[in-house]
Amino acid sequence: MKKIIPLVLILLALGAYFFFNSKKDTPTIPDSEAQLILYWGTGCPHCEKVKEYIKEKNLDSKIKIVYKEVFNDQNNQKQLEATVQKCPEIDATKGIGVPLAFDTQNNKCLYGDTTIIDWLNAK
């Protein structure tokens, strides 16, 4: 019994360490300071392509990006729907997909991985 308690404490400490360090992957920036708001979904391969591109090019250090996961977060879903209403270039009657990014400086939606990556390249 005495050997189990330290083992459990070590496992809990390791679990907490990895949990909190995994949260550091995406920096927290207020929406009001963001240059780009990226709406994405868990398991979406096109979203992962954009996120991986940002990570590979270290663009988080050059562009203020806010990440909003929409498949599992209803608040982010509602924000996505409200954002699309500002964008006449998006036909929301056919549904709203991800990845979708919002250029806050130009009030413009960017839909799809290629469009978003092209925008990132231009910055």
Side-chain angles (χ1 to χ4, degrees):
M1 180 72 172
K2 290 182 181 180
K3 293 180 182 180
I4 294 176
I5 292 174
L7 180 61
V8 169
L9 290 175
I10 290 171
L11 290 174
L12 285 173
L14 284 172
Y17 172 79
F18 287 113
F19 175 77
F20 288 111
N21 277 336
S22 70
K23 299 293 183 187
K24 294 180 182 177
D25 287 344
T26 55
T28 304
I29 300 169
D31 289 4
S32 60
E33 295 179 18
Q35 293 172 277
L36 187 73
I37 299 174
L38 178 62
Y39 296 97
W40 65 281
T42 302
C44 164
H46 300 283
C47 302
E48 290 303 317
K49 182 178 179 181
V50 172
K51 288 171 47 184
E52 187 61 33
Y53 184 83
I54 291 168
K55 185 177 179 181
E56 285 175 3
K57 302 291 183 183
N58 198 27
L59 296 175
D60 276 332
S61 66
K62 301 170 188 166
I63 303 168
K64 292 182 180 179
I65 303 172
V66 172
Y67 298 87
K68 296 195 178 264
E69 198 286 329
V70 297
F71 290 172
N72 300 304
D73 188 317
Q74 290 183 349
N75 288 330
N76 288 346
Q77 289 173 8
K78 290 176 184 174
Q79 289 176 17
L80 172 60
E81 292 168 8
T83 298
V84 169
Q85 296 302 315
K86 301 177 198 175
C87 301
E89 64 271 19
I90 304 292
D91 182 5
T93 61
K94 297 179 182 177
I96 304 169
V98 289
L100 187 137
F102 184 68
D103 173 353
T104 60
Q105 295 172 333
N106 297 307
N107 290 325
K108 182 177 180 185
C109 285
L110 309 163
Y111 184 56
D113 55 4
T114 304
T115 305
I116 296 168
I117 290 171
D118 288 347
W119 183 91
L120 291 166
N121 282 330
K123 290 293 176 182

